[in-house]
Amino acid sequence: MLTDIVPGAPSDFDFEIGDWIVKHRRLKERLKGCTEWEEFNGESSTKKILGGYGNLEDNLLHFPKASFRAIALRSYNAGTKKWSIWWLDGRFPDTLDTPVVGEFSNGIGLFFADEVLDGTPIKIRFKWSLLEENQPRWEQAFSADGGTTWETNWTMDFLPKTKI
């Protein structure tokens, strides 16, 4: 059966499997000294794929001016013991974002990529953590100085749908 989990499959993202209400908080501008945040809600549903060596997070984001769908696709490389995470935005269905790559250590997942923002090379960092039991948090940060300093520009707090 396709839903079977392969023995030895990683469990790093097991905390996110299921259905969620998501509280988003996002800077209005990135790497411009902006301190103005916008807040909006969303929904998310994550399931295991690839026999447990991956997962798919289906998102509905309710931005202040419009809603849209997106997915996060994650896969685990057993050889390197690292995860790769791709983002596909439904508004741009022909483009997968550059994957962030990383791993979990002591319950914190850190994932990095090199990218270009408005013509400037930047580093991207995703951070996964648990604020408390069964309350995942995702943070995105950018660095324009090679990773010396980071600007957190988006957070997502996941609340189980069963508690809402």
Side-chain angles (χ1 to χ4, degrees):
M1 181 176 204
L2 288 177
T3 58
D4 289 345
I5 303 302
V6 176
S11 60
D12 295 322
F13 278 102
D14 281 3
F15 63 83
E16 204 210 354
I17 304 303
D19 298 321
W20 305 91
I21 298 295
V22 184
K23 303 294 183 183
H24 295 265
R25 189 168 181 260
R26 188 174 86 141
L27 275 181
K28 288 193 171 184
E29 295 184 285
R30 289 156 181 81
L31 297 177
K32 295 183 179 180
C34 179
T35 58
E36 189 177 353
W37 293 84
E38 60 185 352
E39 296 183 12
F40 54 96
N41 292 321
E43 299 171 50
S44 177
S45 181
T46 303
K47 67 178 185 176
K48 289 187 179 194
I49 59 173
L50 301 172
Y53 280 82
N55 59 65
L56 184 65
E57 177 188 300
D58 189 11
N59 292 280
L60 175 57
L61 296 95
H62 301 295
F63 273 52
K65 294 186 179 182
S67 295
F68 70 95
R69 300 296 293 250
I71 63 167
L73 172 64
R74 302 181 188 97
S75 67
Y76 184 76
N77 182 323
T80 64
K81 303 207 181 305
K82 294 192 184 291
W83 287 90
S84 295
I85 306 172
W86 293 265
W87 181 254
L88 175 62
D89 184 322
R91 299 170 297 176
F92 312 103
D94 299 326
T95 305
L96 279 175
D97 282 357
T98 302
V100 292
V101 178
E103 62 194 322
F104 281 83
S105 178
N106 298 319
I108 304 292
L110 294 175
F111 309 88
F112 299 91
D114 293 318
E115 189 56 270
V116 175
L117 178 68
D118 299 328
T120 301
I122 65 167
K123 291 197 173 293
I124 298 174
R125 179 184 71 203
F126 286 7
K127 178 181 178 182
W128 276 99
S129 59
L130 287 175
L131 295 177
E132 54 188 71
E133 186 177 344
N134 209 25
Q135 190 180 346
R137 170 175 265 200
W138 172 85
E139 297 177 13
Q140 175 180 270
F142 291 170
S143 174
D145 60 12
T148 301
T149 61
W150 292 92
E151 174 189 82
T152 299
N153 57 55
W154 195 335
T155 64
M156 295 168 56
D157 290 322
F158 291 74
L159 305 169
K161 275 192 174 180
T162 57
K163 290 188 176 180
I164 303 298

